[in-house]
Amino acid sequence: MAGPAVPRSPESRLYPAPAFGELRQLTASDAVVRLNPRQSGIGSLIVTGTRGVAWEGEDRTTGAQSVHHEEIGTPIPTAGNRPLVGYHGRDALIVLRHVRLLRRALFIAAGPPMTVQTFDGSGVAVQGTLAAGQRTVLTVARIGSMLEVRAESVPQEWDDGQIWREFAFTMTVGLGGPRR
């Protein structure tokens, strides 16, 4: 008599992808890298060369911030009273200690190069655009305890709103805290 089926973890269902740190550059033909659980959970994921970032929390709330710190939507607060995703100076960050609160994030390139780095010094870059007349965006998706980074292209002339819509980001409106 067979026992109950044990559900497979999300990580066990992933297709093979290069480990973060194996590839030094993302290209149209090598567009995906995957962080291991340690890289996905310690320190911050630092993305340089962006003009904006959008995020979606595990509760499906969304928000976005520009490199100039203009913000729309709902931030994802952490126990440390810091936003989960946002800017520190000109670098976009994901605070990995609380990454379980994140579903996905989208980083919009300001122009080449755009780089991604972790606490252990591993990194990857997108040196230019993936195709002529295109702008590069990086999508970061949390799959179980791991993050996957993918380089994609959108038309160069698209504004941030068009890019958000292309990747199904609809900004949510926070109601704020209790009134006093």
Side-chain angles (χ1 to χ4, degrees), residues 90-126:
R90 297 191 66 78
D91 296 330
L93 304 174
I94 298 175
V95 180
L96 297 176
R97 180 178 187 179
H98 305 286
V99 76
R100 69 190 177 286
L101 301 173
L102 180 71
R103 186 164 180 268
R104 63 191 178 122
L106 175 74
F107 298 89
I108 303 170
M114 186 167 34
T115 63
V116 182
Q117 192 170 16
T118 59
F119 76 95
D120 64 359
S122 297
V124 68
V126 181

Side-chain angles (χ1 to χ4, degrees), residues 4-125:
V6 177
R8 293 180 4 177
S9 69
E11 295 92 340
S12 69
R13 296 186 299 239
L14 294 173
Y15 61 87
F20 190 75
E22 282 181 12
L23 286 180
R24 302 302 294 162
Q25 184 170 328
L26 296 178
T27 64
S29 59
D30 288 317
V32 178
V33 291
R34 192 170 296 128
L35 284 73
N36 64 40
R38 184 171 176 251
Q39 291 169 322
S40 298
I42 297 175
S44 295
L45 188 72
I46 304 165
V47 185
T48 62
T50 65
R51 73 176 194 201
V53 60
W55 56 82
E56 181 179 23
E58 66 175 351
D59 62 356
R60 307 292 174 126
T61 58
T62 57
Q65 189 177 53
S66 77
V67 70
H68 305 294
H69 301 276
E70 301 160 330
E71 197 169 298
I72 187 171
T74 306
I76 303 170
T78 65
N81 203 26
R82 293 174 35 186
L84 179 65
V85 182
Y87 278 91
H88 181 75
R90 297 191 66 78
D91 296 330
L93 304 174
I94 298 175
V95 180
L96 297 176
R97 180 178 187 179
H98 305 286
V99 76
R100 69 190 177 286
L101 301 173
L102 180 71
R103 186 164 180 268
R104 63 191 178 122
L106 175 74
F107 298 89
I108 303 170
M114 186 167 34
T115 63
V116 182
Q117 192 170 16
T118 59
F119 76 95
D120 64 359
S122 297
V124 68

Side-chain angles (χ1 to χ4, degrees), residues 106-174:
L106 175 74
F107 298 89
I108 303 170
M114 186 167 34
T115 63
V116 182
Q117 192 170 16
T118 59
F119 76 95
D120 64 359
S122 297
V124 68
V126 181
Q127 294 298 335
T129 60
L130 300 179
Q134 300 287 299
R135 175 176 305 281
T136 301
V137 295
L138 288 178
T139 57
V140 175
R142 183 179 60 82
I143 305 163
S145 62
M146 299 188 306
L147 294 177
E148 184 173 274
V149 178
R150 177 182 300 270
E152 302 192 51
S153 292
V154 296
Q156 178 72 33
E157 65 275 3
W158 281 8
D159 63 23
D160 290 0
Q162 288 171 297
I163 295 170
W164 299 337
R165 286 188 295 280
E166 179 70 15
F167 290 89
F169 281 89
T170 303
M171 297 302 141
T172 56
V173 178

